[in-house]
Amino acid sequence: MLDYLWLIPLCPLLGFVINGLFGVWIRRRTGQFPPKRIVAAIACGTILLAFLVSLGCFLDLLQEDPEHRVYETNLFTWIPGGAIRTASGESAVLLVEWGLQLDQLSALMILVVTGVGFLIHLYSIGYMWEEDGFYRYFAYLNLFMFMMLTLVLANNFLLMFVGWEGVGLCSYLLIGYYIQKKSAGDAAKKAFVVNRIGDFGFVLGILMIFTYFGTLDFTEVFEKVASLYPQPEALWGPLCWIALLLFIGATGKSAQVPLYVWLPDAMEGPTPVSALIHAATMVTAGVYMIARSSAIYSRAPDVMLIVATVGIFTALFAASIALFQSDIKKVLAYSTVSQLGYMVTAMGVGAVSAGVFHLATHAFFKALLFLGSGSVILALHHEQDMTKMGGLKKYLPTTCWTMWVGTLAIAGVPGLAGFFSKDEILWRAYSLPQGHFIIWFLGVLVAGMTAFYMFRMMFLTFHGKEQHASDSGHHPHESPRVMIVPLMILAVGSILVGYLGLPAWLGPNLLEEFLEPAFHTAYRPLDEGHHSHSLEILLTVVSVAVAGLGIFLAYFFFLAQPSRTDQLRERFQTLYRWVYNKYYVDELYDTLIVNRCKNLGSVLSIFDHYVVDGIINGSAALTRFTARTSGLVDTHIVDRLVNLVAEIVEYFSSVFRRIQTGLVQRYFLAFVLGVIFVIGFYLYSGV
């Protein structure tokens, strides 16, 4: 089955091409949208096939020797370059293959991406059924899956960057899906621009990697890092700068401070998009990249400290904002930012396997929570304000109990997936040499805050007094089966997945044992920070107790004594206003950056109008004056030449205007078609 690894990204790409191209063709020829059942069958069928192939490749990989579970295949030579000299004085050749790599890390990722992605596709059939752009939505969704699978299966940094940029583009298309809503368009542009800021650092990091190591292939780069740097850098050298630049890219993609601001606004897209982007795929790309580059980060201790600091601060900062949000999707969005902070913290303290473990469990319970919120929103005719909900348990029983499973999991209640992965991160943050008591303490505090705002969300939504108004006696009703079944499957996953990574005092950590060979080139300190099981159990009890306190406070203030909430809000009105308004970070960015860029644009437009246009008009007048006074050239000939140049420019502009439409999706469609043509040519010709 490993020989068919290339089918995994190809399947969603075919779904995109069929639904996208044929959907546009049918609409233009008939004036009608393509049949929704066919569109859904193609979109979901291609992802299901990708999942089955991924499962087959995973099972084949298990048959290999644990220390050599790496399968690579190069489809074709993408960039054949010339010889260069690296910074170390060695000669190297720029040769980039369009190649795929399957090891323990990428095998886990493709199972999560295709498995959870298929359930989200299935759910989308019911959620998006009434939308006119049904085929467009699923085409974008399939393209997103192709890019994400390209990112995680790439065997070199440059191909990873293609998938990296691709998911950024697709997020722009999906977040801005409701083209008639200005807020959706603004959110899409915000996500696109903020991610480009991080990507600039990522590009510089890739360039430094090639400059110092003469290759972009993962295996070759990490082996050279291990041989050239047997010990971590004591001072800031090439590895530290490479790690820092790559991390800048991760802060954008994985929504870390200060580039987190795009993710909450991305809630303007359809709810299944929020589940796909903010659960198992795009936002975890930065975490995956750091895990993949563990050979570099483990030898850059100063950067690891920066990574851990940014991660734990992001987790605390986002959790505090989520405490008092009233929009159900905004609560989940800031929860995602906070949980990503946990994952990044794990990477910073050297607990790579624990971070990847939390990535996998988070994919299940966060996708479940987002899709459950979509079921609530659909039942209430797209109402998202939790203060206008309440008492929905009797109307949406299945949605309620499945969301309770997700809530218990993310709150770290023992026995569910989130408990095992979060506890592993907290323990590693305390016990590993790169960890620290302060990081552990803040992580436990975030765990209590998480339990509080998640239980607050559930109490306001499903329990207490009904706040929603029924329309002519029509009460909210449960979602169709095509939406409910994915919720039930994700609920089961939110329980069982955690048992793959039991703490040491409870049993074997199967997931860590499986993943460890993928990080064999990472630096291992001699002192791994061994501690007794009794201490680990004690710290686990403390974290569970803090989470329990958060649950009790949520119950007391929002179910038992809701009047106390208004009293506290009045007493701490200023603090509440700051937290509710997200510390005015967006307003600060607008004042310091966005508006200043607009001012610069205004200055440049004035310069263009008065200076550039003035020079052009003056030059034309001077030419006519010179011709008239010299008598050598007829002024009519000069005017005709000027007009001829203008006509030529106008003619070519009318041609290129049809190509340069300004629509990013058309540019990318041309790019994808070009890639398909090149791949097809190489496969057909056997070059």
Side-chain angles (χ1 to χ4, degrees):
M1 203 66 179
L2 291 173
D3 293 335
Y4 297 99
L5 183 65
W6 53 274
L7 272 177
I8 298 173
L10 182 63
C11 288
L13 180 61
L14 290 176
F16 160 72
V17 172
I18 295 171
N19 278 333
L21 294 184
F22 282 92
V24 172
W25 182 81
I26 291 173
R27 186 180 180 187
R28 288 182 175 178
R29 291 293 298 269
T30 66
Q32 298 178 348
F33 293 104
K36 292 183 178 180
R37 293 185 182 278
I38 296 178
V39 170
I42 293 172
C44 296
T46 53
I47 303 302
L48 178 60
L49 181 59
F51 171 72
L52 294 176
V53 176
S54 299
L55 184 60
C57 291
F58 173 79
L59 294 176
D60 281 359
L61 192 69
L62 290 179
Q63 305 302 318
E64 303 292 330
D65 179 57
E67 299 300 325
H68 300 90
R69 286 176 178 168
V70 180
Y71 175 81
E72 289 195 49
T73 176
N74 293 321
L75 302 181
F76 57 89
T77 300
W78 179 21
I79 302 178
I84 67 163
R85 190 167 295 277
T86 65
S88 60
E90 299 179 356
S91 60
V93 177
L94 175 61
L95 181 66
V96 181
E97 303 282 352
W98 192 285
L100 307 178
Q101 173 181 300
L102 188 72
D103 63 356
Q104 292 86 342
L105 179 59
S106 56
L108 176 66
M109 288 297 297
I110 60 175
L111 284 178
V112 171
V113 171
T114 57
V116 177
F118 170 70
L119 295 176
I120 294 172
H121 275 69
L122 196 63
Y123 177 96
S124 296
I125 297 174
Y127 191 90
M128 302 297 293
W129 188 261
E130 301 298 327
E131 299 290 339
D132 290 336
F134 194 77
Y135 80 94
R136 177 167 59 91
Y137 169 82
F138 276 103
Y140 292 163
L141 218 59
N142 278 176
L143 181 61
F144 184 94
M145 293 291 290
F146 163 70
M147 288 301 176
M148 188 65 199
L149 290 169
T150 299
L151 189 157
V152 299
L153 284 173
N155 70 348
N156 61 79
F157 280 99
L158 198 57
L159 185 56
M160 173 191 273
F161 187 69
V162 171
W164 187 278
E165 289 296 284
V167 295
L169 172 65
C170 294
S171 69
Y172 166 81
L173 298 174
L174 289 167
I175 294 169
Y177 172 80
Y178 296 119
I179 56 178
Q180 72 278 9
K181 290 176 59 179
K182 183 180 183 300
S183 58
D186 291 343
K189 288 183 287 187
K190 186 176 183 178
F192 194 81
V193 171
V194 172
N195 273 276
R196 298 295 75 72
I197 297 172
D199 294 349
F200 179 71
F202 193 23
V203 170
L204 293 180
I206 293 175
L207 293 175
M208 279 197 68
I209 289 173
F210 184 74
T211 300
Y212 279 91
F213 301 110
T215 180
L216 295 175
D217 182 87
F218 289 147
T219 302
E220 295 179 10
V221 169
F222 300 148
E223 287 180 351
K224 287 188 176 183
V225 169
S227 62
L228 295 175
Y229 297 89
Q231 296 293 324
E233 287 185 327
L235 301 174
W236 275 74
L239 285 187
C240 284
W241 286 109
I242 290 172
L244 182 62
L245 289 170
L246 294 179
F247 180 61
I248 292 174
T251 59
K253 200 66 70 183
S254 291
Q256 299 296 287
V257 172
L259 300 180
Y260 72 95
V261 291
W262 67 269
L263 193 147
D265 287 9
M267 297 298 105
E268 291 292 340
T271 302
V273 171
S274 302
L276 184 65
I277 293 178
H278 304 144
T281 54
M282 176 178 165
V283 293
T284 61
V287 178
Y288 168 78
M289 183 271 293
I290 298 175
R292 175 61 71 195
S293 307
S294 59
I296 297 174
Y297 280 90
S298 61
R299 291 171 173 83
D302 291 343
V303 178
M304 289 186 68
L305 178 60
I306 294 174
V307 172
T309 303
V310 170
I312 198 63
F313 178 75
T314 300
L316 181 64
F317 184 77
S320 68
I321 296 177
L323 291 175
F324 304 121
Q325 295 301 306
S326 58
D327 187 317
I328 187 171
K329 288 180 67 176
K330 286 292 180 68
V331 172
L332 295 176
Y334 281 106
S335 170
T336 298
V337 177
S338 183
Q339 296 304 307
L340 288 168
Y342 262 123
M343 301 175 207
V344 171
T345 301
M347 299 297 159
V349 300
V352 181
S353 297
V356 175
F357 182 26
H358 196 56
L359 183 156
T361 60
H362 178 265
F364 281 89
F365 57 70
K366 186 51 64 68
L368 169 61
L369 289 167
F370 266 117
L371 296 183
S373 71
S375 181
V376 171
I377 292 168
L378 208 61
L380 297 179
H381 306 288
H382 296 278
E383 177 60 66
Q384 297 182 197
D385 191 341
M386 295 185 299
T387 61
K388 299 179 181 179
M389 298 179 185
L392 290 176
K393 178 182 178 181
K394 63 181 178 181
Y395 302 114
L396 310 174
T398 306
T399 300
C400 178
W401 77 257
T402 53
M403 285 192 70
W404 265 118
V405 172
T407 298
L408 294 172
I410 194 174
V413 173
L416 286 89
F419 163 76
F420 296 108
S421 57
K422 189 181 297 185
D423 178 69
E424 188 69 14
I425 291 175
L426 292 175
W427 169 242
R428 299 291 182 178
Y430 179 88
S431 62
L432 289 179
Q434 298 94 332
H436 198 278
F437 172 80
I438 295 178
I439 297 177
W440 172 85
F441 175 79
L442 293 177
V444 171
L445 180 61
V446 172
M449 297 167 70
T450 302
F452 175 84
Y453 67 68
M454 289 304 305
F455 273 73
R456 168 183 176 266
M457 181 192 79
M458 293 299 294
F459 291 147
L460 290 176
T461 303
F462 292 101
H463 303 275
K465 183 180 178 181
E466 293 185 24
Q467 305 292 338
H468 54 89
S470 59
D471 299 328
S472 302
H474 296 288
H475 295 287
H477 57 83
E478 191 63 270
S479 299
R481 185 176 300 178
V482 72
M483 295 172 61
I484 291 300
V485 171
L487 294 181
M488 298 171 70
I489 296 174
L490 289 170
V492 174
S494 298
I495 299 173
L496 299 181
V497 173
Y499 290 90
L500 295 175
L502 296 176
W505 55 270
L506 197 57
N509 192 324
L510 299 178
L511 189 64
E512 183 176 7
E513 294 175 2
F514 173 74
L515 288 173
E516 276 305 305
F519 312 125
H520 69 281
T521 53
Y523 173 75
R524 309 286 183 179
L526 296 177
D527 179 15
E528 288 284 356
H530 297 289
H531 297 275
S532 64
H533 290 336
S534 58
L535 178 60
E536 184 177 358
I537 295 173
L538 176 62
L539 296 182
T540 300
V541 171
V542 171
S543 65
V544 172
V546 172
L549 177 61
I551 294 171
F552 170 76
L553 291 175
Y555 170 80
F556 180 79
F557 285 111
F558 296 99
L559 207 59
Q561 299 288 334
S563 60
R564 297 288 186 92
T565 305
D566 296 330
Q567 296 174 7
L568 287 177
R569 187 182 299 121
E570 289 295 326
R571 180 178 298 181
F572 302 100
Q573 188 174 11
T574 302
L575 177 62
Y576 172 80
R577 186 167 58 250
W578 271 82
V579 176
Y580 183 78
N581 289 288
K582 300 158 286 188
Y583 301 104
Y584 297 98
V585 172
D586 286 299
E587 290 78 3
L588 180 65
Y589 283 4
D590 286 341
T591 302
L592 297 180
I593 302 174
V594 178
N595 293 335
R596 301 293 75 80
C597 291
K598 291 180 180 178
N599 294 341
L600 178 60
S602 300
V603 171
L604 293 177
S605 66
I606 295 173
F607 178 83
D608 177 70
H609 179 72
Y610 289 101
V611 179
V612 178
D613 290 350
I615 293 174
I616 294 174
N617 294 332
S619 300
L622 180 62
T623 301
R624 292 190 182 92
F625 175 77
T626 303
R628 186 181 298 112
T629 55
S630 64
L632 298 176
V633 180
D634 190 351
T635 56
H636 294 292
I637 297 177
V638 175
D639 290 338
R640 288 181 179 179
L641 288 174
V642 173
N643 292 334
L644 177 62
V645 172
E647 290 173 359
I648 293 174
V649 172
E650 182 179 7
Y651 171 77
F652 281 103
S653 67
S654 65
V655 175
F656 289 112
R657 186 164 56 239
R658 299 176 182 177
I659 302 174
Q660 300 292 336
T661 60
L663 298 175
V664 179
Q665 53 265 45
R666 292 194 179 181
Y667 300 157
F668 198 75
L669 176 62
F671 166 76
V672 172
L673 292 177
V675 170
I676 294 173
F677 173 78
V678 171
I679 294 175
F681 173 78
Y682 273 89
L683 292 177
Y684 178 77
S685 61
V687 177

